């Protein structure tokens, strides 16, 4: 039997093992609705799973029935000028207005507390988190309200997820950068909402499944959005598994044929 005929099989096994090792995180094992809907991202202040938190502070209180954050986290993010050491007033001589800051605090509440980000999590390997959410659908009206209250603020970066000078431990504008109004830097509300945090958000029409950063503390309207996305992902996974199973069966048959041919030659 020619052992060289087995090389493609060995290489295929090594390929899959390499992919799994490269992933190095739990997301590769997500395959059920519970995996996507009953989890919190792996980050500095997040719980493992969402639970009730009656003591959530001010703008974070809508998530009190089911939250990935704790009460002391929400208290701190409201009262800290530099959450994660990030300085919103990074342009010298310019201080962010209260009406704009309110939206960024609401965005932080969503990031820290929302139990609905599972279907959009990807591996991150950042200093403060192993995962992050990308392309989370944000309702157009929510984005436009954020933009309207913030377009006259100043910044030197059109993506706050990268490019700042962190050598002092706090973000500063890099040498040679220019501070401009948000309106000049981002041009419009869509680019602002999608680029400000490195494509964490994706702006979509209000009549499509989309997330709300604020809602009254009753039924979380984002639950249904996450469930719809999770259903789609589970269906895709099941379909991929079915195709992979067919491939494995075919590969097994080929292997058996190769072995039988090798044995017949030996006989």
């Amino acid at each position: 039997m020619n052992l060289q005929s087995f090389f493609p099989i060995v290489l295929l096994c090594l390929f899959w093992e390499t992919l799994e090792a490269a992933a190095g995180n739990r997301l590769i094992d997500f395959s059920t609705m519970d995996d996507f809907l009953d989890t919190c991202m792996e980050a500095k202040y997040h719980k493992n799973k969402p639970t009730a938190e009656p003591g959530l502070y001010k703008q974070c209180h809508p998530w009190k029935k089911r939250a990935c954050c704790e009460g002391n986290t929400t208290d701190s993010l409201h009262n800290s000028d530099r959450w994660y050491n990030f300085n919103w007033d990074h342009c010298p001589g310019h201080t962010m207005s209260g009406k704009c800051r309110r939206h960024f605090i609401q965005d932080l509440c969503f990031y820290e507390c929302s139990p609905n980000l599972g279907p959009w999590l990807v591996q991150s390997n950042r200093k403060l988190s192993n995962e992050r959410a990308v392309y989370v659908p944000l309702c157009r009206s929510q984005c436009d309200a954020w933009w309207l209250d913030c377009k006259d603020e100043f910044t030197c970066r059109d993506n706050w997820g990268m490019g700042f000078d962190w050598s002092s431990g706090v973000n500063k504008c890099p040498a040679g950068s220019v501070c401009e109004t948000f309106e000049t830097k981002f041009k419009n509300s869509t680019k602002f909402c999608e680029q400000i945090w490195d494509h964490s958000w994706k702006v979509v029409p209000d009549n499509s499944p989309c997330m709300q950063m604020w809602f009254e503390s009753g039924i979380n309207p984002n639950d249904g959005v996450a469930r719809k996305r999770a259903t789609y992902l589970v269906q895709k996974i099941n379909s991929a598994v079915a195709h992979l199973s067919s491939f494995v069966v075919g590969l097994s048959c080929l292997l058996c044929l190769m072995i039988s041919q090798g044995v017949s030659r030996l006989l």
Side-chain angles (χ1 to χ4, degrees), residues 62 116 210-216 218-226:
N116 303 124
C210 60
M211 296 290 189
Q212 298 180 36
M213 284 193 283
W214 172 262
F215 54 93
E216 296 303 323
I219 297 176
N220 184 341
N222 301 323
D223 287 346
V225 180

Side-chain angles (χ1 to χ4, degrees), residues 8-265:
I9 300 172
V10 174
L11 289 175
L12 181 63
C13 292
L14 290 175
F15 173 72
W16 283 111
E17 288 179 2
T18 300
L19 281 183
E20 187 170 2
N25 71 93
R26 62 183 183 139
L27 298 178
I28 196 172
D29 296 322
F30 277 22
S31 60
T32 68
M33 294 293 286
D34 281 347
D35 288 334
F36 290 107
L37 298 179
D38 191 31
T39 190
C40 301
M41 77 169 71
E42 288 188 347
K44 184 173 182 178
Y45 297 113
H46 286 67
K47 306 174 188 174
N48 292 326
K49 290 185 177 294
T51 59
E53 283 287 341
L56 297 188
Y57 193 65
K58 289 187 177 180
Q59 290 177 235
C60 298
H61 85 264
W63 288 274
K64 65 182 182 180
K65 290 186 177 179
R66 186 167 174 265
C68 284
C69 59
E70 297 179 343
N72 59 350
T73 297
T74 62
D75 181 82
S76 296
L77 72 83
H78 277 83
N79 295 305
S80 173
D81 289 332
R82 296 181 181 180
W83 189 244
Y84 294 115
N85 286 334
F86 189 90
N87 182 14
W88 293 328
D89 305 326
H90 46 266
C91 278
H94 296 282
T95 301
M96 184 178 286
S97 66
K99 66 177 182 178
C100 179
R101 185 178 295 256
R102 177 175 60 86
H103 289 279
F104 279 98
I105 290 176
Q106 199 63 57
D107 175 67
L108 277 175
C109 284
F110 188 97
Y111 170 79
E112 299 288 358
C113 300
S114 176
N116 303 124
L117 292 176
W120 291 274
L121 292 180
V122 298
Q123 187 181 8
S124 173
N125 290 330
R126 297 185 176 187
K127 185 177 180 180
L128 297 173
S129 65
N130 293 324
E131 298 164 357
R132 63 176 295 236
V134 295
Y135 303 123
V136 179
L138 176 64
C139 298
R140 160 67 62 189
S141 59
Q142 300 258 307
C143 173
D144 287 347
W146 191 359
W147 170 250
L148 185 64
D149 285 343
C150 291
K151 62 186 180 66
D152 295 326
E153 307 298 332
F154 281 79
T155 187
C156 57
R157 302 295 303 167
D158 62 1
N159 184 340
W160 286 8
M162 60 181 66
F164 280 109
D165 177 0
W166 286 92
S167 59
S168 66
V170 176
N171 63 305
K172 293 183 178 180
C173 292
S177 62
V178 177
C179 282
E180 301 173 308
T181 64
F182 283 17
E183 190 166 29
T184 300
K185 188 69 72 177
F186 295 100
K187 309 302 183 187
N188 57 58
S189 60
T190 299
K191 289 183 178 178
F192 164 69
C193 293
E194 295 183 346
Q195 292 178 198
I196 189 72
W197 292 126
D198 197 18
H199 302 286
S200 292
W201 293 111
K202 180 176 177 59
V203 180
V204 299
D206 282 23
N207 59 2
S208 61
C210 60
M211 296 290 189
Q212 298 180 36
M213 284 193 283
W214 172 262
F215 54 93
E216 296 303 323
S217 52
I219 297 176
N220 184 341
N222 301 323
D223 287 346
V225 180
R227 180 166 292 277
K228 185 170 184 176
R229 174 66 177 173
T231 300
Y232 167 78
L233 292 176
V234 170
Q235 290 173 346
K236 294 287 286 185
I237 291 169
N238 290 339
S239 176
V241 168
H243 283 87
L244 181 60
S245 297
S246 298
F247 172 75
V248 171
V249 170
L251 188 61
S252 298
C253 292
L254 177 61
L255 179 59
C256 291
L257 178 62
M258 293 166 62
I259 292 175
S260 64
Q261 287 178 343
V263 171
S264 65
R265 290 193 185 111

